Amino acid sequence: MSQPESLHDATSGLEVVLTPENNDRLAALCGQFDENLRQIETRLNVEIHNRGNHFRVVAPPEAASLAVDVLKALYQTTAHSGVSREHVHLALREAGQRAAQEQPAELVARGSQSVRTRRGQIEPRGRNQIEYLQAIREHDLTFGIGPAGTGKTWLAVACAVEALENDACAG
């Protein structure tokens, strides 16, 4: 079984050719009325154009690369099952986590933002979590809003435990 291949820079985005070319798999990847592609476009703020197994992603380089990774992962999924909205959501989430883990320079540049407790150390996983931790540490009251499962409560509780263990609480 061949893997997706042929990734190269284009003038205003990235192009990828998914192989082997199989119309049933491509239809599963795109979804009814291209709903899966639209979900990726909306979430990553990219444009996806396709003709057969040739896909072009128009976006800034980082977002385009992430979208191509999601397309490749979902195309591999089509080899053994269909692709639902949940599959797309999970692929987007996994790609985002991989991208966050591949940014150690950003974490180092902003200094050590980890939360230390007796039970261990908790590291932020990306720019948004770093900014959230900074806001918690700099302000008495911080509101965190966003999708479920992104670590808001986990980080807030970890910061509270850290403060309690370090007697940083006013009271």
Side-chain angles (χ1 to χ4, degrees):
M1 180 169 105
S2 297
Q3 298 296 323
E5 60 180 353
S6 182
L7 175 66
H8 63 278
D9 283 309
T11 56
S12 61
L14 292 175
E15 291 186 16
V16 64
V17 178
L18 302 176
T19 58
E21 186 173 3
N22 179 310
N23 289 337
D24 292 333
R25 289 179 64 186
L26 290 167
L29 170 65
C30 296
Q32 185 175 14
F33 303 116
D34 290 339
E35 68 181 4
N36 295 340
L37 298 182
R38 300 305 151 245
Q39 184 178 355
I40 296 168
E41 287 178 329
T42 301
R43 182 82 176 272
L44 298 178
N45 196 24
V46 300
E47 285 183 31
I48 301 174
H49 307 282
N50 72 304
R51 181 171 290 225
N53 65 333
H54 295 264
F55 289 80
R56 179 181 180 91
V57 180
V58 179
E62 187 175 307
S65 178
L66 200 58
V68 167
D69 289 346
V70 170
L71 288 170
K72 287 179 176 181
L74 290 172
Y75 194 69
Q76 288 178 339
T77 300
T78 63
H80 51 79
S81 71
V83 176
S84 66
R85 292 184 65 79
E86 290 77 21
H87 285 106
V88 176
H89 175 75
L90 290 173
L92 286 163
R93 187 169 174 179
E94 289 172 9
Q97 288 175 348
R98 280 194 306 274
Q101 291 172 355
E102 294 171 359
Q103 298 173 359
E106 178 182 328
L107 295 176
V108 172
R110 291 185 173 229
S112 177
Q113 294 294 325
S114 62
V115 179
R116 291 175 184 83
T117 67
R118 280 187 249 163
R119 295 263 178 146
Q121 185 169 319
I122 298 168
E123 296 287 338
R125 298 192 328 179
R127 180 179 331 113
N128 289 337
Q129 286 190 355
I130 291 170
E131 291 173 3
Y132 183 52
L133 284 176
Q134 287 176 334
I136 289 173
R137 289 181 172 148
E138 293 172 6
H139 304 284
D140 290 340
L141 183 62
T142 303
F143 289 91
I145 58 171
T150 56
K152 298 177 300 293
T153 304
W154 177 256
L155 290 173
V157 170
C159 285
V161 169
E162 179 185 52
L164 184 65
E165 289 178 351
N166 294 332
D167 293 325
C169 296

